[in-house]
Amino acid sequence: MVWITGASSGIGLATALACARRGDRLLLSSRAEGPLQEAARQCRALGSADVLVAALDIADDDAVRRASATAVQRWGRLDVVVQNAGVAAYGRVDEVPAEVLEGVLRTNVLGAALVASEAVRTFRHQGQGTLVVVGSVLGRITVPWMGAYNATKFALRGLVRTMQQENRDVPGIRISLVAPGGVDTPIYDQSATVLGRRNRPPYPVSSPEHVAEKVLRAADRGSAWHRELDAGWANPAMKAAYALAPGLFDLLSRPAMRTLGFALGKRPNGPGNVLAPQPHEEGLRQRR
């Protein structure tokens, strides 16, 4: 019995499809109901034993609690919760509109905390369960023009580490963080921006299926050795450079981001999916 947030797109959708192939019962949630229903249809076709759908905003505590209660009522328990839902914004911190900054924080920190809290309450009642939170290598390093996202991923890593410490008294509870680098998902087309440029995942780029494999590894083998899993072969080198040569890292970060973080072509400025879902942009990968 697996609950996946942000299941209509990108890493969440790839994780849902991977779980369906092995016959898991699934609770899929997302703000975009149409794409969410399509994800459920695909999961049923691939062999999921049962699929529930909950269109919700993870920053809505009542909705999060209702979804969890519905799953437990139907199946008697929850075994795994994958907190994957998130949004992003591009632009210098002082130029990003306040409502967009607040929206990124609301989803990526408050929403993630509400889902994680509900998962842990359920697991403590059951005596066991696994929480996997999808973070980012940007919870360990920073890059220009992604300040709001950077801040939330640093906060998310602190939240996960704290919850790992707090729940050591229940050996059956396992909590892991999966930290991808660049991943080929629609988040780059859905993100808010004030730069007027099209975003892209920076090299090296992982597939959403690769990250889903890491999520399932954390879910199936959660232990002290799986508190934090990288998903991206360059992550260790980037983290080492950021820690050991911060001045050089900062010097190179702007030209590297200009070259690797943006694609040819322009995009209109706007809030993207930060303040409201964009169902037409949902999918497994970024549009070409």
Side-chain angles (χ1 to χ4, degrees):
M1 286 73 80
V2 183
W3 178 13
I4 303 166
T5 69
S8 61
S9 193
I11 295 167
L13 177 56
T15 303
L17 298 178
C19 289
R21 291 187 185 97
R22 61 187 200 177
D24 291 341
R25 295 178 176 87
L26 296 172
L27 168 60
L28 307 180
S29 63
S30 165
R31 294 178 300 166
E33 184 160 10
L36 190 61
Q37 293 290 353
E38 173 57 21
R41 185 197 65 76
Q42 293 180 51
C43 288
R44 293 184 184 104
L46 287 172
S48 176
D50 193 13
V51 183
L52 290 174
V53 168
L56 59 82
D57 183 336
I58 60 168
D60 182 339
D61 190 31
D62 290 339
V64 167
R65 288 175 183 257
R66 284 195 302 270
S68 177
T70 298
V72 172
Q73 183 177 20
R74 178 127 167 186
W75 301 320
R77 60 185 297 107
L78 271 174
D79 295 316
V80 177
V81 174
V82 179
Q83 164 41 38
N84 162 76
V87 295
Y90 281 77
R92 221 172 59 200
V93 173
D94 61 292
E95 294 181 338
V96 175
E99 64 270 19
V100 172
L101 285 172
E102 181 180 1
V104 175
L105 292 165
R106 183 174 182 271
T107 296
N108 293 7
V109 180
L110 174 61
L114 294 178
V115 172
S117 297
E118 180 59 25
V120 165
R121 281 190 292 266
T122 301
F123 296 159
R124 291 185 73 89
H125 179 75
Q126 295 172 174
Q128 61 181 17
T130 300
L131 170 64
V132 181
V133 177
V134 178
S136 172
V137 70
L138 296 186
R140 288 289 198 116
I141 70 171
T142 59
V143 296
W145 306 299
M146 293 194 73
Y149 190 80
N150 283 325
T152 64
K153 295 305 177 178
F154 268 76
L156 195 59
R157 184 169 182 269
L159 177 75
V160 170
R161 288 294 290 122
T162 301
M163 296 184 83
Q164 289 168 339
Q165 294 166 340
E166 291 174 345
N167 290 281
R168 288 176 61 87
D169 60 318
V170 184
I173 294 179
R174 302 178 301 184
I175 301 173
S176 298
L177 180 76
V178 173
V183 186
D184 183 9
T185 76
I187 192 172
Y188 301 94
D189 289 332
Q190 294 176 308
S191 62
T193 185
V194 297
L195 300 176
R197 300 186 63 182
R198 188 162 183 252
N199 316 309
R200 67 179 177 186
Y203 179 85
V205 182
S206 298
S207 70
E209 292 89 350
H210 173 70
V211 183
E213 290 176 9
K214 293 283 188 176
V215 169
L216 293 186
R217 182 182 302 176
D220 293 342
R221 307 180 192 175
S223 69
W225 296 104
H226 294 85
R227 287 195 183 99
E228 184 172 340
L229 296 179
D230 275 311
W233 62 262
N235 287 13
M238 289 190 289
K239 291 188 291 187
Y242 185 81
L244 300 176
L248 180 61
F249 189 98
D250 290 355
L251 178 66
L252 297 176
S253 63
R254 289 172 65 90
M257 187 66 176
R258 285 196 186 102
T259 302
L260 301 176
F262 299 102
L264 294 176
K266 296 186 178 297
R267 256 189 81 199
N269 290 335
N273 73 341
V274 171
L275 305 181
Q278 294 184 316
H280 65 284
E281 295 283 9
E282 300 279 287
L284 192 61
R285 291 177 171 80
Q286 184 179 29
R287 293 183 179 184
R288 294 296 185 266

